Amino acid sequence: MTADDIEALFTRSADGYVFARWARPIVPVVFGVDDATLATVKGAIEAVVTLAGHTMAETDPDQGANLMVFFFRDWSELLEVPDLDRLVEGLGPLVARLEAEGASQYRHFRFEDSGAIRACIAFVRMDAALSELPAEVLALGLAAQVVLLWSERAFRDRSPLAQAADHVILRPDVAGVIRAAYDPVMPVMSRDRVHALRLAARIGV
């Protein structure tokens, strides 16, 4: 992965280069799964957070939980969740758009004054393709995509995951970017493309 490849991971179609990471500890809550899957999802999040050198907590003093993950079968189900429209502005039109696009996932981020990630609400519609994935594979892919503010195109053509013998792991290049992004000397947010060069220097590309 070259410095240009890293830059592309954070270059959004509308806003240009936008990088952000979490500053506060991550506190996940998961809806729509059984206890076994809940443990798998939280375990995957903890694994990626540990890789990043970041932290988790039992509660967020301002929000209770700051990473909310919803699993469901149909986008319209979100319209029935109490007060969700207060957390995601324009929820009705968003649901209509995602339904029309046939989308299976969507992540809504909120930000601190510093630009760091303050909260993330992740939606996962369990369509036929996702339903065939083992829970640990789905959970690891989700965890990788909520730990940083990736471009909406970052993993459109290639998954952040890779096969290693009988196991699915984070791609080594993606893992390297995550570790470098959470280096304490790196900013929590950047709109400067030079930031991608600094990430590249830290992972030795």
Side-chain angles (χ1 to χ4, degrees):
M1 182 180 286
T2 67
D4 286 344
D5 292 331
I6 295 172
E7 181 178 324
L9 293 174
F10 301 104
T11 300
R12 308 183 72 81
S13 55
D15 303 320
Y17 190 89
V18 184
F19 166 88
R21 73 183 193 202
W22 294 80
R24 63 178 65 208
I26 297 175
V27 182
V29 61
V30 184
F31 303 95
V33 297
D34 58 25
D35 288 345
T37 304
L38 172 63
T40 299
V41 173
K42 287 192 172 182
I45 294 169
E46 184 174 7
V48 174
V49 169
T50 300
L51 165 74
H54 194 50
T55 58
M56 295 178 66
E58 291 296 323
T59 187
D60 182 296
D62 300 318
Q63 306 165 100
N66 54 35
L67 172 57
M68 289 162 274
V69 183
F70 292 84
F71 289 88
F72 51 90
R73 294 287 179 182
D74 190 277
W75 285 110
S76 62
E77 295 175 39
L78 297 180
L79 302 177
E80 301 171 7
V81 178
D83 298 325
L84 186 58
D85 58 341
R86 296 174 61 185
L87 295 175
V88 181
E89 187 176 351
L91 181 64
L94 174 64
V95 165
R97 176 170 67 83
L98 294 171
E99 199 165 35
E101 293 173 354
S104 59
Q105 298 189 52
Y106 182 80
R107 286 164 293 281
H108 173 80
F109 288 90
R110 298 166 64 188
F111 301 94
E112 313 273 12
D113 291 341
S114 66
I117 298 170
R118 176 182 176 86
C120 175
I121 303 172
F123 300 129
V124 183
R125 180 175 68 86
M126 296 300 294
D127 60 11
L130 291 185
S131 296
E132 292 180 359
L133 291 177
E136 58 270 21
V137 174
L138 181 60
L140 185 58
L142 172 70
Q145 293 184 76
V146 300
V147 76
L148 293 172
L149 181 68
W150 306 97
S151 161
E152 76 277 14
R153 300 173 294 181
F155 305 116
R156 182 174 295 170
D157 301 320
R158 187 182 179 194
S159 169
L161 308 181
Q163 190 77 34
D166 296 331
H167 303 285
V168 173
I169 62 171
L170 275 182
R171 280 172 27 206
D173 53 353
V174 172
V177 170
I178 292 172
R179 278 193 297 264
Y182 277 87
D183 187 316
V185 305
M186 295 292 285
V188 296
M189 182 272 180
S190 179
R191 290 182 176 272
D192 189 341
R193 295 174 186 273
V194 173
H195 177 267
L197 296 174
R198 296 180 63 193
L199 287 177
R202 277 163 175 74
I203 60 179
V205 301

